[in-house]
Amino acid sequence: MTNNKSYPSSVLNSQSDLTQNSKLRTQNSPAIIHVEALHKRYGRIAAVRGIDFDVQPGEVFGLIGPDGAGKTTTFHILGGVMEATTGNVQVLGQIPRKARLGIGYLTQQFSLYLDLSIDENLRYIAGLRSVSNRDFAERREKYLRLMNLERFGDRLAGQLSGGMKQKLALCCALIYKPEVLLLDEPTTGVDPVSRREFWDVLAALASEGVTIVVATPYLDEAERCNRVALMYEGQIQQIGTPAELKDSLGLHRLEVRTSQLQAVEQALEAQVSDSGASTPIHDVQTFGDRLDVLVSDTQTGEAQVRQVLSQKRFPLDSLEQTQPTLENVFVARLRQQGLEPPFISFPRTMRHDRHSTDAAIYARNLNRMFGTFQAVKNVNVEVRYGEIFGLLGANGAGKTTTIKMLCGLLEASSGDISLGGETGNLRSGELRRRIGYMSQKFTLYDDLTIVQNLEFYAGVYSIPQRLRREKIAWVINICGLEGQENLITGQLPGGWKQRVAFGASVMHEPEILFLDEPTSGVDPLARRQFWRLINDFARQGTAILVTTHYLEEAEQCNRMSFLVAGETVIEGSPSQIKAAQPGKLIEITPDQNQAASDLLKQTLEPWRVSIFADRLHVVVDNPDTEIPQLRDQLQAANITVHSLRPIPYSLEDAFIGTVQRSQK
């Protein structure tokens, strides 16, 4: 589809980490990055089609879009590793190839040496860039301390968690002191705690004048950018601050809670499709224990929601008005362009006669030892048929180990497990045919074609020959790969591989489905389709256990538990977990964001203070006494507070607070 529609661009600068005078100077400064009429073609394929944008000194600029939008191609050109077909691209006043000594570039794939230590990786990069011994020692100490890696200098890179690897990659990019940082999806697969720490580091670097361009599939991260460009089909459709983009949407969000989610969702979706442009309801999506309804007017939208529920005699537990998210903007814009893939129901041939009160997955006092190390400690899990259960935790918390024990891939050291009613041999062929498993790592064969992989898994799961063609065609269709099924799987981007892997894991219509980080690296639109399919399987009676590092999508789970160091620390619905958080989450907008953050971290635990573009999020346990103290502390440092208000806990805020308190 060719897309020629453009939205108004905003070029307002919202520098967050400099004083007001510095802001004015920055706005009048020449752009550090200038892109004008940039085109890039690969034969007949136009990957980038005439994009324009400028990035100012010290700005954090986000480039977001679906898989195949042209983001990585743009990064390759900005980094000087690829030539543009046509257009004018300037970085630091030069063509990118000549500016490479001033550019730090983190690619999507971790590209350091896993058999070298942290210090050896840093020394190797410093040697390539001719960094003096004195500068190396000074920068090593500074950046390892900033990343909380100073105690691990002799640890092999291959032994680091995903978050620590990305921090090391960033240290290596900084060791030669670049003026520009290009970060292509730097936090994919990184847990929420490490992701937040990573973004706080980026804010600190921006405050020192480093200019940062970042691509991310996580739109809660994009909220931390000064400005964001929405990119799809090789074009930039809209540029602005996160607040400007949300305002430009012209929609409001209603959170609807009801005991009959599926029926209410269908009734409200009928209002969208039946009424067309005249309806105030524009979008409806399930999120775990609630519905998100986007409306053009809160008053008429709320009235219509209440009317529909009343007419259908559906119960309404609560209805709240909230702000739209950046993900709402992203999805709505793509839907306006007709780019949202259609929902294609799974071609079912079996019916599971299971009751929702039956436990499909059950574990009591589950333990796992590796030598003297206890990875899982007395974990209890119960997942019923038709339920989506989230198992959440930081890297190394024991999630994958728990899943492997629950599905019979790893023997438990102690504890009781029941899977699909089976308590004995969890590795029996009969039981395995009732289970679907999508592992954290892409498990298909890179040297086979897409269709060969799917035919292989159809054989493994004993799908009858007469049904295979229809089910394989369904996987190809939901992946949007019609006509490309003979591509070698290893040539697919990570997000597309995840889609094929999901399809392979459900073709045999499992009663029980294990999904270990299924949407890692998947763009928001594809993630939305993923969860529509996951919800559809749950509604047909499949029991689903899922892990994810993306807490906004974890809202889709009916229930969840948080693991910390192998132990369960909290369990409940998303709403229950957020309501259980002590204290208040405060949003502060100061005139000197980085200085305010540094100051507050002197008296508060660092995890309690986090930078979001031009604002701070601060967690306080005793708001009545602590909020006046925070105001006084900032005022004494000549930092002006433009606004200070309590905001609701997000699930990510709840996760980080729970994890940090448990570790303390």
Short mmCIF file of all heavy atoms in Angstrom, two decimals, residues 190-196 218-221 287-288 290 327 390-394 399 519 527 531 547-557 560-562 574 577-578 649-659:
data_model
loop_
_atom_site.label_atom_id
_atom_site.label_comp_id
_atom_site.label_asym_id
_atom_site.label_seq_id
_atom_site.Cartn_x
_atom_site.Cartn_y
_atom_site.Cartn_z
N VAL A 190 15.46 -6.89 27.42
CA VAL A 190 16.01 -6.43 28.69
C VAL A 190 14.87 -6.25 29.70
O VAL A 190 13.81 -5.74 29.35
CB VAL A 190 16.79 -5.10 28.49
CG1 VAL A 190 17.27 -4.54 29.81
CG2 VAL A 190 17.96 -5.33 27.54
N ASP A 191 15.09 -6.67 30.93
CA ASP A 191 14.01 -6.63 31.92
C ASP A 191 13.68 -5.19 32.33
O ASP A 191 14.48 -4.27 32.10
CB ASP A 191 14.38 -7.46 33.16
CG ASP A 191 15.50 -6.84 33.97
OD1 ASP A 191 15.26 -5.84 34.67
OD2 ASP A 191 16.63 -7.37 33.92
N PRO A 192 12.49 -4.95 32.92
CA PRO A 192 12.04 -3.58 33.20
C PRO A 192 12.96 -2.78 34.12
O PRO A 192 13.12 -1.58 33.93
CB PRO A 192 10.67 -3.80 33.87
CG PRO A 192 10.20 -5.12 33.36
CD PRO A 192 11.45 -5.95 33.22
N VAL A 193 13.54 -3.44 35.12
CA VAL A 193 14.44 -2.70 36.02
C VAL A 193 15.65 -2.21 35.26
O VAL A 193 16.04 -1.03 35.35
CB VAL A 193 14.87 -3.60 37.20
CG1 VAL A 193 15.90 -2.88 38.07
CG2 VAL A 193 13.66 -4.00 38.05
N SER A 194 16.27 -3.09 34.47
CA SER A 194 17.46 -2.69 33.69
C SER A 194 17.10 -1.69 32.61
O SER A 194 17.89 -0.79 32.30
CB SER A 194 18.10 -3.93 33.05
OG SER A 194 18.58 -4.81 34.04
N ARG A 195 15.90 -1.82 32.02
CA ARG A 195 15.48 -0.86 31.00
C ARG A 195 15.37 0.54 31.60
O ARG A 195 15.81 1.53 31.00
CB ARG A 195 14.13 -1.26 30.41
CG ARG A 195 14.22 -2.31 29.34
CD ARG A 195 13.04 -2.26 28.41
NE ARG A 195 11.79 -2.63 29.03
CZ ARG A 195 10.66 -1.95 28.90
NH1 ARG A 195 10.63 -0.86 28.17
NH2 ARG A 195 9.56 -2.35 29.49
N ARG A 196 14.78 0.64 32.78
CA ARG A 196 14.63 1.96 33.40
C ARG A 196 15.99 2.54 33.76
O ARG A 196 16.24 3.73 33.55
CB ARG A 196 13.74 1.86 34.64
CG ARG A 196 13.50 3.22 35.29
CD ARG A 196 12.31 3.22 36.22
NE ARG A 196 11.05 3.18 35.49
CZ ARG A 196 9.86 3.44 36.06
NH1 ARG A 196 9.80 3.74 37.34
NH2 ARG A 196 8.76 3.39 35.35
N TYR A 218 9.19 -0.41 22.24
CA TYR A 218 8.46 -0.22 23.49
C TYR A 218 8.05 1.24 23.62
O TYR A 218 8.88 2.12 23.87
CB TYR A 218 9.34 -0.62 24.69
CG TYR A 218 9.87 -2.03 24.60
CD1 TYR A 218 11.23 -2.28 24.52
CD2 TYR A 218 8.99 -3.11 24.59
CE1 TYR A 218 11.71 -3.58 24.45
CE2 TYR A 218 9.47 -4.40 24.52
CZ TYR A 218 10.83 -4.64 24.45
OH TYR A 218 11.30 -5.91 24.37
N LEU A 219 6.76 1.52 23.45
CA LEU A 219 6.34 2.91 23.39
C LEU A 219 6.26 3.57 24.75
O LEU A 219 6.19 4.79 24.84
CB LEU A 219 5.00 3.01 22.65
CG LEU A 219 5.08 2.58 21.18
CD1 LEU A 219 3.84 3.00 20.43
CD2 LEU A 219 6.31 3.15 20.50
N ASP A 220 6.30 2.79 25.84
CA ASP A 220 6.46 3.43 27.14
C ASP A 220 7.86 4.03 27.25
O ASP A 220 8.06 5.04 27.92
CB ASP A 220 6.20 2.44 28.28
CG ASP A 220 7.13 1.24 28.24
OD1 ASP A 220 7.64 0.89 27.16
OD2 ASP A 220 7.33 0.62 29.30
N GLU A 221 8.85 3.44 26.56
CA GLU A 221 10.19 4.03 26.51
C GLU A 221 10.19 5.31 25.68
O GLU A 221 10.87 6.28 26.03
CB GLU A 221 11.19 3.04 25.90
CG GLU A 221 11.53 1.87 26.76
CD GLU A 221 12.69 1.06 26.19
OE1 GLU A 221 13.03 1.23 25.01
OE2 GLU A 221 13.23 0.25 26.93
N PHE A 287 -7.47 -5.52 27.98
CA PHE A 287 -6.21 -5.50 28.71
C PHE A 287 -6.44 -6.23 30.03
O PHE A 287 -6.76 -5.63 31.05
CB PHE A 287 -5.74 -4.06 28.99
CG PHE A 287 -4.98 -3.45 27.86
CD1 PHE A 287 -5.63 -2.74 26.88
CD2 PHE A 287 -3.61 -3.62 27.76
CE1 PHE A 287 -4.93 -2.18 25.82
CE2 PHE A 287 -2.90 -3.06 26.70
CZ PHE A 287 -3.56 -2.34 25.73
N GLY A 288 -6.27 -7.55 30.00
CA GLY A 288 -6.37 -8.33 31.23
C GLY A 288 -7.73 -8.26 31.87
O GLY A 288 -8.70 -8.86 31.39
N ARG A 290 -9.58 -5.49 32.19
CA ARG A 290 -10.31 -4.28 31.81
C ARG A 290 -10.37 -4.14 30.30
O ARG A 290 -9.68 -4.86 29.56
CB ARG A 290 -9.64 -3.04 32.41
CG ARG A 290 -8.34 -2.66 31.72
CD ARG A 290 -7.83 -1.29 32.15
NE ARG A 290 -6.91 -0.74 31.19
CZ ARG A 290 -5.59 -0.90 31.23
NH1 ARG A 290 -5.03 -1.60 32.19
NH2 ARG A 290 -4.82 -0.35 30.30
N GLU A 327 1.26 4.49 22.75
CA GLU A 327 0.90 3.31 21.96
C GLU A 327 -0.48 3.48 21.34
O GLU A 327 -0.71 3.06 20.21
CB GLU A 327 0.96 2.05 22.83
CG GLU A 327 0.69 0.80 22.04
CD GLU A 327 1.38 -0.42 22.59
OE1 GLU A 327 2.45 -0.29 23.22
OE2 GLU A 327 0.85 -1.52 22.39
N GLY A 390 0.46 -14.44 33.94
CA GLY A 390 1.77 -13.86 33.68
C GLY A 390 2.76 -14.21 34.77
O GLY A 390 2.48 -14.06 35.96
N LEU A 391 3.93 -14.70 34.37
CA LEU A 391 5.02 -14.98 35.30
C LEU A 391 6.11 -13.94 35.00
O LEU A 391 6.78 -14.01 33.97
CB LEU A 391 5.54 -16.40 35.09
CG LEU A 391 6.48 -16.99 36.14
CD1 LEU A 391 5.77 -17.11 37.48
CD2 LEU A 391 6.99 -18.35 35.70
N LEU A 392 6.24 -12.95 35.88
CA LEU A 392 7.07 -11.78 35.60
C LEU A 392 8.23 -11.70 36.58
O LEU A 392 8.10 -12.07 37.75
CB LEU A 392 6.23 -10.51 35.68
CG LEU A 392 4.92 -10.50 34.88
CD1 LEU A 392 4.19 -9.19 35.08
CD2 LEU A 392 5.19 -10.75 33.41
N GLY A 393 9.33 -11.17 36.09
CA GLY A 393 10.50 -10.98 36.95
C GLY A 393 11.65 -10.43 36.15
O GLY A 393 11.65 -10.46 34.92
N ALA A 394 12.66 -9.92 36.86
CA ALA A 394 13.86 -9.41 36.19
C ALA A 394 14.65 -10.57 35.61
O ALA A 394 14.38 -11.75 35.90
CB ALA A 394 14.71 -8.61 37.19
N LYS A 399 12.26 -17.28 35.98
CA LYS A 399 11.05 -17.50 35.17
C LYS A 399 11.22 -18.66 34.19
O LYS A 399 10.38 -19.56 34.15
CB LYS A 399 10.71 -16.22 34.38
CG LYS A 399 10.55 -14.97 35.22
CD LYS A 399 10.14 -13.80 34.37
CE LYS A 399 11.12 -13.46 33.26
NZ LYS A 399 12.46 -13.09 33.74
N THR A 519 6.77 -11.73 22.49
CA THR A 519 6.74 -10.53 21.65
C THR A 519 8.02 -9.71 21.76
O THR A 519 8.03 -8.53 21.41
CB THR A 519 5.54 -9.64 22.04
OG1 THR A 519 5.70 -9.19 23.39
CG2 THR A 519 4.24 -10.39 21.91
N ARG A 527 2.30 -6.69 17.99
CA ARG A 527 2.06 -7.12 19.37
C ARG A 527 0.56 -7.14 19.66
O ARG A 527 0.04 -8.03 20.34
CB ARG A 527 2.75 -6.16 20.34
CG ARG A 527 3.49 -6.86 21.42
CD ARG A 527 4.34 -6.04 22.30
NE ARG A 527 4.12 -4.65 22.35
CZ ARG A 527 5.02 -3.73 22.02
NH1 ARG A 527 6.20 -4.10 21.57
NH2 ARG A 527 4.75 -2.45 22.12
N TRP A 531 -1.70 -10.45 20.79
CA TRP A 531 -2.54 -10.57 21.98
C TRP A 531 -4.00 -10.81 21.63
O TRP A 531 -4.73 -11.44 22.41
CB TRP A 531 -2.35 -9.34 22.88
CG TRP A 531 -1.12 -9.53 23.71
CD1 TRP A 531 0.12 -9.06 23.46
CD2 TRP A 531 -1.02 -10.32 24.90
NE1 TRP A 531 1.00 -9.49 24.43
CE2 TRP A 531 0.33 -10.26 25.31
CE3 TRP A 531 -1.93 -11.07 25.65
CZ2 TRP A 531 0.78 -10.92 26.45
CZ3 TRP A 531 -1.48 -11.72 26.78
CH2 TRP A 531 -0.14 -11.65 27.18
N THR A 547 5.50 -15.17 29.88
CA THR A 547 6.45 -14.24 30.48
C THR A 547 6.67 -13.09 29.52
O THR A 547 6.58 -13.26 28.29
CB THR A 547 7.81 -14.89 30.80
OG1 THR A 547 8.53 -15.11 29.58
CG2 THR A 547 7.63 -16.21 31.53
N THR A 548 6.95 -11.92 30.05
CA THR A 548 7.23 -10.76 29.20
C THR A 548 8.01 -9.74 30.02
O THR A 548 7.86 -9.64 31.24
CB THR A 548 5.94 -10.12 28.66
OG1 THR A 548 6.29 -8.95 27.90
CG2 THR A 548 5.00 -9.71 29.77
N HIS A 549 8.86 -8.98 29.32
CA HIS A 549 9.54 -7.85 29.95
C HIS A 549 8.80 -6.55 29.68
O HIS A 549 9.21 -5.49 30.17
CB HIS A 549 10.97 -7.72 29.41
CG HIS A 549 11.92 -8.73 29.99
ND1 HIS A 549 11.85 -9.14 31.30
CD2 HIS A 549 12.96 -9.41 29.43
CE1 HIS A 549 12.80 -10.03 31.52
NE2 HIS A 549 13.49 -10.21 30.41
N TYR A 550 7.74 -6.61 28.90
CA TYR A 550 7.02 -5.41 28.52
C TYR A 550 5.77 -5.33 29.37
O TYR A 550 4.77 -5.98 29.11
CB TYR A 550 6.68 -5.46 27.02
CG TYR A 550 6.05 -4.20 26.49
CD1 TYR A 550 6.60 -2.96 26.78
CD2 TYR A 550 4.94 -4.25 25.68
CE1 TYR A 550 6.02 -1.80 26.29
CE2 TYR A 550 4.36 -3.10 25.17
CZ TYR A 550 4.91 -1.87 25.48
OH TYR A 550 4.35 -0.73 24.99
N LEU A 551 5.83 -4.52 30.43
CA LEU A 551 4.78 -4.53 31.45
C LEU A 551 3.47 -3.97 30.94
O LEU A 551 2.40 -4.30 31.47
CB LEU A 551 5.25 -3.78 32.70
CG LEU A 551 6.03 -4.61 33.73
CD1 LEU A 551 5.17 -5.72 34.29
CD2 LEU A 551 7.30 -5.20 33.17
N GLU A 552 3.50 -3.12 29.91
CA GLU A 552 2.25 -2.61 29.38
C GLU A 552 1.43 -3.73 28.75
O GLU A 552 0.21 -3.75 28.85
CB GLU A 552 2.52 -1.50 28.36
CG GLU A 552 1.30 -0.65 28.07
CD GLU A 552 1.66 0.70 27.47
OE1 GLU A 552 2.31 1.50 28.16
OE2 GLU A 552 1.30 0.94 26.32
N GLU A 553 2.10 -4.72 28.12
CA GLU A 553 1.35 -5.83 27.57
C GLU A 553 0.99 -6.85 28.64
O GLU A 553 0.04 -7.63 28.48
CB GLU A 553 2.11 -6.50 26.42
CG GLU A 553 3.22 -7.44 26.82
CD GLU A 553 3.81 -8.17 25.62
OE1 GLU A 553 3.42 -7.86 24.49
OE2 GLU A 553 4.65 -9.05 25.82
N ALA A 554 1.71 -6.85 29.76
CA ALA A 554 1.36 -7.75 30.86
C ALA A 554 0.00 -7.40 31.45
O ALA A 554 -0.61 -8.22 32.14
CB ALA A 554 2.44 -7.70 31.95
N GLU A 555 -0.48 -6.18 31.16
CA GLU A 555 -1.83 -5.81 31.58
C GLU A 555 -2.87 -6.74 30.95
O GLU A 555 -4.00 -6.82 31.42
CB GLU A 555 -2.13 -4.36 31.15
CG GLU A 555 -1.24 -3.31 31.79
CD GLU A 555 -1.87 -2.69 33.03
OE1 GLU A 555 -2.90 -3.21 33.48
OE2 GLU A 555 -1.33 -1.70 33.53
N GLN A 556 -2.49 -7.44 29.87
CA GLN A 556 -3.42 -8.35 29.20
C GLN A 556 -3.70 -9.61 30.03
O GLN A 556 -4.66 -10.32 29.78
CB GLN A 556 -2.83 -8.78 27.85
CG GLN A 556 -2.55 -7.65 26.89
CD GLN A 556 -3.69 -7.44 25.90
OE1 GLN A 556 -4.75 -8.01 26.04
NE2 GLN A 556 -3.45 -6.61 24.91
N CYS A 557 -2.84 -9.91 31.00
CA CYS A 557 -2.99 -11.13 31.78
C CYS A 557 -4.16 -11.00 32.76
O CYS A 557 -4.41 -9.93 33.31
CB CYS A 557 -1.71 -11.43 32.56
SG CYS A 557 -0.27 -11.73 31.51
N MET A 560 -1.30 -12.61 37.61
CA MET A 560 0.15 -12.69 37.43
C MET A 560 0.82 -12.81 38.79
O MET A 560 0.23 -12.52 39.83
CB MET A 560 0.68 -11.45 36.70
CG MET A 560 0.46 -10.16 37.45
SD MET A 560 0.95 -8.71 36.49
CE MET A 560 -0.18 -8.81 35.11
N SER A 561 2.08 -13.23 38.74
CA SER A 561 2.91 -13.21 39.94
C SER A 561 4.27 -12.65 39.57
O SER A 561 4.73 -12.79 38.44
CB SER A 561 3.05 -14.61 40.55
OG SER A 561 3.78 -15.47 39.69
N PHE A 562 4.90 -11.97 40.53
CA PHE A 562 6.23 -11.42 40.35
C PHE A 562 7.23 -12.32 41.06
O PHE A 562 7.06 -12.64 42.24
CB PHE A 562 6.34 -10.01 40.95
CG PHE A 562 5.55 -8.95 40.24
CD1 PHE A 562 5.47 -7.67 40.77
CD2 PHE A 562 4.90 -9.21 39.04
CE1 PHE A 562 4.74 -6.68 40.14
CE2 PHE A 562 4.18 -8.22 38.39
CZ PHE A 562 4.10 -6.96 38.95
N PRO A 574 -3.77 -7.44 37.46
CA PRO A 574 -3.03 -6.18 37.30
C PRO A 574 -3.57 -5.07 38.20
O PRO A 574 -2.79 -4.33 38.83
CB PRO A 574 -3.22 -5.85 35.82
CG PRO A 574 -3.42 -7.16 35.15
CD PRO A 574 -4.18 -7.99 36.15
N ILE A 577 -2.57 -5.67 41.91
CA ILE A 577 -1.15 -5.43 42.18
C ILE A 577 -0.85 -3.94 42.23
O ILE A 577 -0.11 -3.46 43.10
CB ILE A 577 -0.28 -6.15 41.13
CG1 ILE A 577 -0.32 -7.67 41.40
CG2 ILE A 577 1.16 -5.63 41.16
CD1 ILE A 577 0.38 -8.50 40.36
N LYS A 578 -1.44 -3.17 41.31
CA LYS A 578 -1.22 -1.71 41.34
C LYS A 578 -1.84 -1.10 42.59
O LYS A 578 -1.25 -0.20 43.21
CB LYS A 578 -1.80 -1.07 40.07
CG LYS A 578 -0.96 -1.35 38.83
CD LYS A 578 -1.49 -0.64 37.60
CE LYS A 578 -2.70 -1.30 37.02
NZ LYS A 578 -3.11 -0.72 35.72
N TYR A 649 -0.22 4.56 39.52
CA TYR A 649 0.85 3.61 39.26
C TYR A 649 0.57 2.87 37.95
O TYR A 649 -0.54 2.41 37.71
CB TYR A 649 0.94 2.56 40.38
CG TYR A 649 1.71 3.00 41.60
CD1 TYR A 649 1.06 3.46 42.73
CD2 TYR A 649 3.10 2.91 41.62
CE1 TYR A 649 1.76 3.84 43.87
CE2 TYR A 649 3.82 3.28 42.75
CZ TYR A 649 3.14 3.75 43.87
OH TYR A 649 3.85 4.12 44.98
N SER A 650 1.60 2.78 37.11
CA SER A 650 1.54 1.84 35.99
C SER A 650 1.98 0.48 36.52
O SER A 650 2.53 0.36 37.62
CB SER A 650 2.46 2.28 34.85
OG SER A 650 3.82 2.16 35.26
N LEU A 651 1.77 -0.57 35.73
CA LEU A 651 2.21 -1.89 36.16
C LEU A 651 3.73 -1.94 36.23
O LEU A 651 4.30 -2.63 37.08
CB LEU A 651 1.68 -2.97 35.21
CG LEU A 651 1.78 -4.41 35.71
CD1 LEU A 651 1.06 -4.59 37.03
CD2 LEU A 651 1.22 -5.38 34.67
N GLU A 652 4.42 -1.18 35.36
CA GLU A 652 5.88 -1.14 35.43
C GLU A 652 6.35 -0.48 36.72
O GLU A 652 7.28 -0.95 37.37
CB GLU A 652 6.47 -0.40 34.22
CG GLU A 652 7.99 -0.37 34.25
CD GLU A 652 8.61 0.27 33.02
OE1 GLU A 652 8.40 -0.27 31.92
OE2 GLU A 652 9.27 1.31 33.17
N ASP A 653 5.69 0.62 37.10
CA ASP A 653 6.02 1.26 38.38
C ASP A 653 5.83 0.28 39.53
O ASP A 653 6.65 0.20 40.45
CB ASP A 653 5.14 2.49 38.62
CG ASP A 653 5.42 3.62 37.64
OD1 ASP A 653 6.60 3.91 37.42
OD2 ASP A 653 4.46 4.18 37.09
N ALA A 654 4.70 -0.46 39.48
CA ALA A 654 4.41 -1.43 40.54
C ALA A 654 5.45 -2.54 40.56
O ALA A 654 5.90 -2.97 41.63
CB ALA A 654 3.02 -2.01 40.34
N PHE A 655 5.86 -2.99 39.38
CA PHE A 655 6.85 -4.05 39.29
C PHE A 655 8.18 -3.60 39.88
O PHE A 655 8.78 -4.29 40.72
CB PHE A 655 7.05 -4.46 37.82
CG PHE A 655 8.12 -5.49 37.60
CD1 PHE A 655 7.83 -6.83 37.70
CD2 PHE A 655 9.42 -5.11 37.29
CE1 PHE A 655 8.82 -7.79 37.50
CE2 PHE A 655 10.41 -6.05 37.10
CZ PHE A 655 10.11 -7.40 37.20
N ILE A 656 8.64 -2.43 39.46
CA ILE A 656 9.94 -1.95 39.93
C ILE A 656 9.91 -1.71 41.44
O ILE A 656 10.83 -2.09 42.17
CB ILE A 656 10.36 -0.68 39.16
CG1 ILE A 656 10.69 -1.05 37.71
CG2 ILE A 656 11.54 0.02 39.83
CD1 ILE A 656 10.93 0.10 36.79
N GLY A 657 8.84 -1.10 41.94
CA GLY A 657 8.73 -0.88 43.37
C GLY A 657 8.71 -2.18 44.15
O GLY A 657 9.39 -2.31 45.19
N THR A 658 7.96 -3.16 43.67
CA THR A 658 7.88 -4.46 44.35
C THR A 658 9.23 -5.16 44.36
O THR A 658 9.68 -5.68 45.39
CB THR A 658 6.83 -5.35 43.67
OG1 THR A 658 5.55 -4.71 43.72
CG2 THR A 658 6.73 -6.70 44.36
N VAL A 659 9.90 -5.17 43.21
CA VAL A 659 11.20 -5.83 43.11
C VAL A 659 12.22 -5.16 44.02
O VAL A 659 12.95 -5.83 44.78
CB VAL A 659 11.69 -5.84 41.65
CG1 VAL A 659 13.15 -6.27 41.56
CG2 VAL A 659 10.82 -6.75 40.80
#
